[in-house]
Amino acid sequence: MITYILGILLVIGFYLLGEAVQVVLLPWLPGSMIGMVLLFVVFVIFGERLVRWVKEGAELFISYLPLFFVPVTVGVLQYEHLVSWFGLSFFALLFISSLFVMMFVAIMMDRKAGGSSCG
Amino acid sequence: MWLVTTIVVFLTAQWVYKKRKKNYLLPVFTTTIALISVIVLSGQSYEQYYASAKWIDWLLGPAVVALSYPLYKYRTMLLKSGVKIIGWVTVASLLSVVTGALVLSLFPVSHNYIVTAMLKNITTPVAIDLAEIYGGIPSLVAIICTLCGMLGAVVGPMIYRRFNVQSKLAQGVAMGALAHAIGTSRLMEEDDYSGAISTLSFLVVTLVMPLIVPVLVYWLS
């Protein structure tokens, strides 16, 4: 229980630190990504001694990651005016492009790996 | 109120998903559709919804920070495949821009839509910032990135099964490079190694794209 709380607090702490760094130094990168890199660096410096306290809290956050996207994805409802011929073909082109590239990269990389499943 | 509704709908969606194991029942996707229906039917606006659900949105920040744990856990393997990951993410980003924005530029479409199209596979918060810098449409970028992420999270695993893509490296890079953090959360469900590769890949996208996009923006204008 204590490791959960400690882990959650430390992860939130690094998020706030990342936000602070963004405001002061790196306005073009989101604070969450700065926090991620900072926590990673601290993990590498302190190793297992620190990681075992954070592990469970971090895993808890990751297991609910999809939930945290929901308020943003629901925001799609503000764009009903994009339901037009232009809007639909614009979206269709971008979707097809994304899926084509995803398919291409996945297949090419997999075949290059020589069929080994370990990657 | 909407805060509780969101959590209840999501947990229900997750329960159904775990029972059925169908890709199109992905919780983030079904929850979004269900909530939009409820909000529209109840005659409320997104602003009213967001005022209550913003706390869930806030937790996205710490959740992204938490991804540093799998990155650390697999650091030696990631380092070993580092060059390969960076190389393929660069290929994916170039292809994404060429097949999206460059194809679009063949049509009479205004410049800010083309810039918007270039940013489609970048993680949403970064893409919004880049849209402001390079002359895209920030709100449209937000929705496109979100939809591309959801689409990749739903269709990606179908592609992997259909074409028998077994390498975790291939699965992680393809997902992270095209469906950023939303796709990563899908991979994390089953296996945190491919999830870690995906995390690193979407980080690399945010470093590679600011090198590709300005060149193209300059060339097209």
Side-chain angles (χ1 to χ4, degrees), chain B residues 149 154 193-194 214:
Chain B
V154 172
Y193 177 47
S194 57

Side-chain angles (χ1 to χ4, degrees), chain B residues 20 35 47 51 82 91 114 130 132 183:
Chain B
R20 292 284 173 84
L35 284 172
E47 284 72 24
V91 170
I114 297 170
L130 294 181
E132 276 158 11

Side-chain angles (χ1 to χ4, degrees), chain B:
Chain B
M1 185 54 209
W2 284 118
L3 181 82
V4 181
T5 314
T6 305
I7 293 169
V8 171
V9 171
F10 178 80
L11 292 178
T12 314
Q14 209 174 33
W15 179 76
V16 172
Y17 177 65
K18 279 187 179 147
K19 283 208 110 168
R20 292 284 173 84
K21 274 285 164 204
K22 292 270 185 270
N23 280 312
Y24 59 82
L25 289 176
L26 192 74
V28 63
F29 181 60
T30 50
T31 306
T32 303
I33 294 173
L35 284 172
I36 288 180
S37 315
V38 176
I39 296 165
V40 170
L41 287 176
S42 66
Q44 296 224 353
S45 69
Y46 179 66
E47 284 72 24
Q48 285 166 307
Y49 169 79
Y50 188 80
S52 166
K54 63 169 182 264
W55 301 107
I56 301 174
D57 187 31
W58 188 83
L59 285 171
L60 183 58
V64 169
V65 173
L67 290 172
S68 57
Y69 170 64
L71 275 184
Y72 173 79
K73 191 172 162 192
Y74 296 108
R75 65 194 179 284
T76 42
M77 284 188 259
L78 292 175
L79 203 64
K80 219 173 63 188
S81 317
V83 176
K84 219 184 230 174
I85 294 173
I86 294 171
W88 277 104
V89 169
T90 309
V91 170
S93 300
L94 281 170
L95 277 177
S96 146
V97 169
V98 170
T99 58
L102 282 194
V103 170
L104 190 69
S105 70
L106 301 175
F107 298 92
V109 175
S110 72
H111 186 70
N112 47 7
Y113 278 96
I114 297 170
V115 177
T116 301
M118 287 179 197
L119 307 170
K120 73 188 189 329
N121 300 108
I122 307 174
T123 188
T124 315
V126 180
I128 294 170
D129 289 351
L130 294 181
E132 276 158 11
I133 300 170
Y134 300 126
I137 308 164
S139 58
L140 188 60
V141 164
I143 165 174
I144 285 172
C145 294
T146 305
L147 290 175
C148 282
M150 278 209 281
L151 187 79
V154 172
V155 182
M158 295 178 184
I159 294 175
Y160 299 163
R161 208 174 38 216
R162 172 72 183 75
F163 294 98
N164 196 25
V165 174
Q166 284 179 354
S167 148
K168 304 266 184 232
L169 194 65
Q171 292 186 359
V173 169
M175 190 63 99
L178 282 313
H180 46 93
I182 302 182
T184 299
S185 72
R186 170 68 182 85
L187 288 184
M188 282 288 182
E189 270 175 25
E190 281 160 24
D191 172 49
D192 62 350
Y193 177 47
S194 57
I197 296 166
S198 186
T199 305
L200 182 63
S201 301
F202 88 72
L203 284 176
V204 174
V205 171
T206 64
L207 300 176
V208 169
M209 280 300 198
L211 301 176
I212 300 174
V213 175
V215 177
L216 273 172
V217 170
Y218 179 77
W219 182 65
L220 286 173
S221 63

Side-chain angles (χ1 to χ4, degrees), chain A residues 71-107:
Chain A
V72 177
T73 55
V74 170
V76 168
L77 77 87
Q78 301 169 96
Y79 294 90
E80 75 234 43
H81 63 268
L82 280 170
V83 183
S84 63
W85 277 116
F86 171 71
L88 291 179
S89 24
F90 182 66
F91 282 114
L93 171 70
L94 300 192
F95 290 164
I96 292 166
S97 150
S98 296
L99 290 183
F100 162 75
V101 179
M102 188 181 245
M103 200 176 336
F104 178 81
V105 169
I107 293 171

Side-chain angles (χ1 to χ4, degrees), chain A residues 11 15 18 22 27 32 35 37 43 66-67 74 87 93 96-97 101 103 105 109:
Chain A
V11 166
Y15 170 58
Q22 185 208 10
S32 57
V37 173
F43 277 161
L67 167 66
V74 170
L93 171 70
I96 292 166
S97 150
V101 179
M103 200 176 336
V105 169
M109 277 189 82

